[in-house]
Amino acid sequence: MSIRFKVILPYLLLTLVVAITGVYVVTRLVANSLTERLKNQLLEAGRVVSDTVARQEIKHIEAARIVAYTTGLAEALEKGDRQTLSALTKPAAAGLGIETLILVDELGHEQLHLLRLPDGSIQELDGSTGAGNLAIVQLLLLNSDPTSLPRRGLGQDPTSHRYYHFTAFPVSANGKVVGVVVVGTSLDVILPYLKSTSLADVIIYGDNGMAIATTLAGQAPEAGLLSALSIPRDAYDKALNINDIVMGENILFNGRSYSLARGSLRVGSDKIGVFAVVLPMNFVIEAGSDSRNTYMFLFTLVVVGVVLIGYVISRIIINPLNALIRASQAIAGGDLNQRTGIRSRDEIGVLAHTFDEMSGRLQERTTELEKTYHTLEQMDRTKISFIEVSAHELRTPLTLVKGYSQMLASKFKDDPELMALTDGILDGSDRMTEIVGSMLDVSRIDSNTLKMLPEETNLGVVIARVYKVFKEGLQERNLSLNVQGIDGLPPVQADPDLLYKVFYHLLMNAIKYTPDGGRIAVNGHIVEEQNKREVEIVISDTGIGIDKEHHELIFEKFYQTGEVHLHSSGKTKYKGGGPGLGLAIARGIINAHAGRIWVESPGYDEKTLPGSKFFVRLPLEGKKDERTEPRTQAA
Ligand code: ADP
């Protein structure tokens, strides 16, 4: 994952978590406050209903009192004079705006029943409505106390089946109760009024919890609806006996949710029933979802804003990092001129500044090293040309020395003493000729002017030539030489004279660095690696060995391990000194043949004599030299 996402993702997640939590908390608070508002509204509506019913009751009592105290009414009631009763009460019934007025005599018989029609006219009903059986009437008659307080209750008119709020008031004459005036207002009339004053729908429950009237479904609610709105008896009793208005359950009606509060209908000391006020919850739900939508919109805006800011911040942080990466990659790729170009003073700026300084220093050092390298190259070229020139210059006097020595030798052949001296001069000049030859070989290898004449070369013949040279030296030093597997090798395409030099130097080294009595072996075999067939010749000895750190360096010209002054002279003497050119020549020649040469040795130790193994590999296909120039003999 790129660092940009590592920065943005946690930031985005955090923003989302904070925003979602925020929206959740805010919408919950809004919903709670809306619910609280609804509750308060319901409780307020309940109080308005109670007050309205109480005002209604005052009207009832006033009307009942006026009727009860009408002169002559008590006497007419006692006598059962319906005509007089009718004449006395009708004007009051019309004037007081009473919906129904019933007069019951002492025996509980209904003497008069007046009904006010919607047009304001008063109708006198025949026959009993059963009002005499109302509990409140019976109570007053039973008490037979002219000072009894008025009683109230809900009752159903048996003929119209309408429910009424009745108020009963005793009619007395001569200190005794002679009948009861009942004033009633039907719930069908009260309920719309209650609804308009409380601004809530209203349900009225009868004394068994049965809903008897409601504004929820207009003027004439179905019986099915009423029974659906009814509550159990115990719930009714509970609501009746609590002095306050309490929240009830939510109800579902016509697919809408309503919230509901109940209270008892109290008129004076009488609890005449239970009512409920009902308010739709949709405004809570709608307001809640409105606010949720608003907050969701704000939330989305905030998240988009935060992500944009995050993106910008990440760019501010990451762009310099990218510049740093680009510069470091360019420098790793060798372009030391690259700089980050970051100028800020923050941590990345400090890092970039340090990086630029480092790159600058690296560039300076590299330039210095390049200069030094060129100087060294120049010096090396000078050295090579010096070697070349001196080798060429030494050849002529050497030839003269050798020629004159041979002449002296033929002259003094009868004088053993002088003969020994001339032999010494001859040996020395031979050795010098050899060294000069090696110097010329090295200069040719270095200047890429080594000439090869490849031909089918039998390695056994080459090794036999070398052996011939060192046979005497091996015997003198009591060294054994074991040659194995060479004769069976297929011929290689190579220059036999150059290969001769390779094995000459390798065998000479094996002899020089193995103490007397040691063993030297030359083994040959074929190796196949990565579809390549090669011959491998291994020259191993039981000599002083070579430390690992020198394994590569000894193939450099003039490189010698140990201290030069310890070296003795002579080419087969133990630790006999040499010019340090043998292995450089061997590697140059083997490389020119597309082969490989390397050494393996556990390390240098003159006591334990771990020995060394020099490996030479030559491709079996051989390497054809395209040059046609004739070869000039080196040594
Ligand atoms: P030199 O003329 O000194 O022998 P070479 O290039 O032939 O030069 O060898 C370089 C050095 O490698 C030698 O000085 C010697 O220290 C080390 N060396 C070469 N061959 C052997 C060997 N067979 N055992 C131990 N040391 C060796």
Side-chain angles (χ1 to χ4, degrees):
M1 204 192 333
S2 95
I3 197 160
R4 175 161 304 182
F5 290 106
K6 282 187 185 164
V7 172
I8 286 186
L9 268 187
Y11 176 74
L12 186 65
L13 283 177
L14 198 67
T15 312
L16 281 175
V17 168
V18 171
I20 289 171
T21 317
V23 168
Y24 175 76
V25 169
V26 170
T27 45
R28 278 306 295 251
L29 285 176
V30 168
N32 283 350
S33 85
L34 286 170
T35 316
E36 192 62 25
R37 253 170 66 189
L38 180 73
K39 189 177 159 192
N40 290 340
Q41 219 170 316
L42 270 175
L43 298 180
E44 185 53 34
R47 274 174 220 122
V48 171
V49 166
S50 296
D51 292 352
T52 311
V53 172
R55 277 201 300 279
Q56 175 81 24
E57 174 63 14
I58 293 168
K59 268 172 77 182
H60 277 196
I61 292 173
E62 271 173 15
R65 188 174 284 137
I66 289 169
V67 171
Y69 294 141
T70 307
T71 319
L73 187 111
E75 291 75 21
L77 197 57
E78 268 186 312
K79 284 183 202 151
D81 181 355
R82 287 186 183 219
Q83 227 172 343
T84 313
L85 286 175
S86 172
L88 285 173
T89 52
K90 261 186 185 169
L96 294 168
I98 292 161
E99 198 186 337
T100 185
L101 182 90
I102 303 162
L103 288 173
V104 179
D105 66 13
E106 203 176 354
L107 300 171
H109 295 141
E110 196 175 309
Q111 294 294 337
L112 185 75
H113 188 172
L114 298 180
L115 191 67
R116 190 182 143 98
L117 297 176
D119 60 4
S121 60
I122 304 293
Q123 189 191 358
E124 188 177 333
L125 298 177
D126 290 331
S128 170
T129 59
N133 299 327
L134 280 171
I136 50 174
V137 175
Q138 291 290 325
L139 219 69
L140 287 177
L141 291 176
L142 263 175
N143 271 359
S144 194
D145 177 4
T147 60
S148 283
L149 290 171
R151 307 305 302 245
R152 308 88 180 170
L154 291 178
Q156 193 178 23
D157 183 331
T159 43
S160 68
H161 298 293
R162 295 168 84 185
Y163 279 94
Y164 282 85
H165 161 208
F166 288 124
T167 305
F169 197 83
V171 182
S172 53
N174 305 321
K176 72 177 185 99
V177 174
V178 294
V180 176
V181 185
V182 180
V183 173
T185 308
S186 78
L187 296 186
D188 294 354
V189 174
I190 303 172
L191 254 53
Y193 182 59
L194 291 179
K195 183 176 175 174
S196 69
T197 51
S198 68
L199 302 175
D201 276 301
V202 183
I203 306 169
I204 307 285
Y205 304 91
D207 56 7
N208 51 2
M210 178 76 193
I212 54 176
T214 178
T215 56
L216 269 175
Q219 281 293 63
E222 288 167 23
L225 166 68
L226 288 174
S227 67
L229 293 175
S230 299
I231 51 171
R233 179 78 207 220
D234 50 346
Y236 174 86
D237 288 342
K238 207 172 146 197
L240 190 70
N241 293 317
I242 290 174
N243 291 337
D244 208 352
I245 291 142
V246 286
M247 291 300 294
E249 70 285 348
N250 293 341
I251 57 168
L252 198 73
F253 173 66
N254 270 354
R256 290 173 80 185
S257 289
Y258 290 85
S259 201
L260 176 152
R262 290 200 182 85
S264 58
L265 270 178
R266 284 163 188 271
V267 187
S269 56
D270 294 321
K271 295 174 191 165
I272 64 171
V274 170
F275 74 95
V277 275
V278 181
L279 280 174
M281 286 179 73
N282 59 340
F283 95 91
V284 175
I285 294 162
E286 279 161 18
S289 84
D290 276 0
S291 65
R292 200 168 30 249
N293 289 345
T294 311
Y295 292 123
M296 285 299 280
F297 175 70
L298 285 176
F299 152 78
T300 314
L301 266 186
V302 167
V303 169
V304 169
V306 163
V307 169
L308 280 178
I309 293 169
Y311 180 75
V312 171
I313 292 173
S314 76
R315 274 185 71 95
I316 291 170
I317 297 171
I318 288 151
N319 281 3
L321 275 181
N322 281 340
L324 201 58
I325 290 168
R326 275 196 300 277
S328 59
Q329 280 172 340
I331 283 171
D335 180 4
L336 297 178
N337 290 321
Q338 273 291 335
R339 296 291 179 273
T340 60
I342 299 164
R343 296 277 167 271
S344 62
R345 287 177 177 209
D346 54 16
E347 287 82 347
I348 295 176
V350 173
L351 184 65
H353 180 69
T354 316
F355 181 83
D356 283 346
E357 268 186 4
M358 253 163 55
S359 312
R361 243 172 273 146
L362 188 66
Q363 194 178 22
E364 275 169 27
R365 293 280 153 81
T366 312
T367 316
E368 273 170 30
L369 279 175
E370 272 169 3
K371 270 191 206 153
T372 316
Y373 179 77
H374 287 311
T375 314
L376 286 173
E377 235 180 12
Q378 188 63 41
M379 283 165 72
D380 199 48
R381 270 200 297 275
T382 315
K383 196 167 75 183
I384 290 168
S385 65
F386 170 75
I387 294 167
E388 199 179 350
V389 169
S390 31
H392 277 295
E393 291 306 316
L394 281 170
R395 270 170 68 168
T396 319
L398 260 178
T399 318
L400 286 176
V401 170
K402 207 171 168 184
Y404 286 127
S405 319
Q406 278 166 344
M407 282 167 68
L408 281 175
S410 63
K411 239 184 164 179
F412 298 132
K413 63 177 180 282
D414 299 326
D415 188 336
E417 206 176 321
L418 285 173
M419 194 58 193
L421 293 175
T422 41
D423 276 352
I425 299 171
L426 268 172
D427 278 355
S429 57
D430 279 349
R431 180 87 181 109
M432 264 186 88
T433 310
E434 207 176 288
I435 291 169
V436 168
S438 290
M439 284 161 71
L440 278 171
D441 284 341
V442 155
S443 67
R444 281 181 195 129
I445 287 164
D446 273 347
S447 57
N448 276 328
T449 53
L450 186 73
K451 295 193 178 72
M452 287 206 307
L453 275 184
E455 59 185 58
E456 282 216 335
T457 304
N458 188 324
L459 287 166
V461 174
V462 175
I463 304 272
R465 264 178 75 195
V466 178
Y467 172 66
K468 245 169 115 181
V469 178
F470 293 111
K471 192 177 169 193
E472 212 176 296
L474 285 162
Q475 278 169 358
E476 271 174 25
R477 299 271 323 280
N478 193 21
L479 295 167
S480 71
L481 177 74
N482 183 8
V483 182
Q484 263 187 356
I486 302 288
D487 287 336
L489 291 175
V492 291
Q493 195 68 24
D495 185 320
D497 290 332
L498 293 179
L499 285 192
Y500 166 82
K501 287 184 186 177
V502 171
F503 293 111
Y504 175 86
H505 287 295
L506 291 177
L507 199 61
M508 183 165 71
N509 281 348
I511 294 168
K512 276 201 300 187
Y513 299 109
T514 304
D516 294 2
R519 295 184 310 280
I520 297 167
V522 179
N523 292 301
H525 50 268
I526 294 172
V527 285
E528 278 183 45
E529 266 175 24
Q530 296 159 351
N531 295 333
K532 246 168 74 182
R533 279 183 87 229
E534 291 174 313
V535 288
E536 184 178 85
I537 295 107
V538 187
I539 292 112
S540 43
D541 59 54
T542 56
I544 56 176
I546 307 162
D547 277 336
K548 288 222 162 49
E549 67 208 67
H550 299 303
H551 284 189
E552 264 309 303
L553 293 168
I554 53 170
F555 290 96
E556 294 296 325
K557 55 184 179 289
F558 300 117
Y559 190 86
Q560 293 168 313
T561 63
E563 289 177 48
V564 176
H565 68 263
L566 292 176
H567 291 189
S568 69
S569 56
K571 60 185 184 185
T572 56
K573 292 252 166 62
Y574 179 47
K575 295 202 279 178
L581 295 174
L583 291 179
I585 293 168
R587 176 166 274 185
I589 292 171
I590 294 299
N591 284 351
H593 282 85
R596 282 191 295 148
I597 179 167
W598 74 94
V599 67
E600 286 177 12
S601 169
Y604 166 84
D605 197 320
E606 289 192 25
K607 288 199 182 91
T608 58
L609 301 170
S612 311
K613 276 185 179 176
F614 281 82
F615 293 79
V616 174
R617 288 230 187 141
L618 288 165
L620 263 177
E621 291 73 30
K623 189 182 176 205
K624 299 239 165 31
D625 189 37
E626 255 111 64
R627 285 174 294 185
T628 49
E629 278 178 73
R631 173 172 57 86
T632 49
Q633 185 65 43

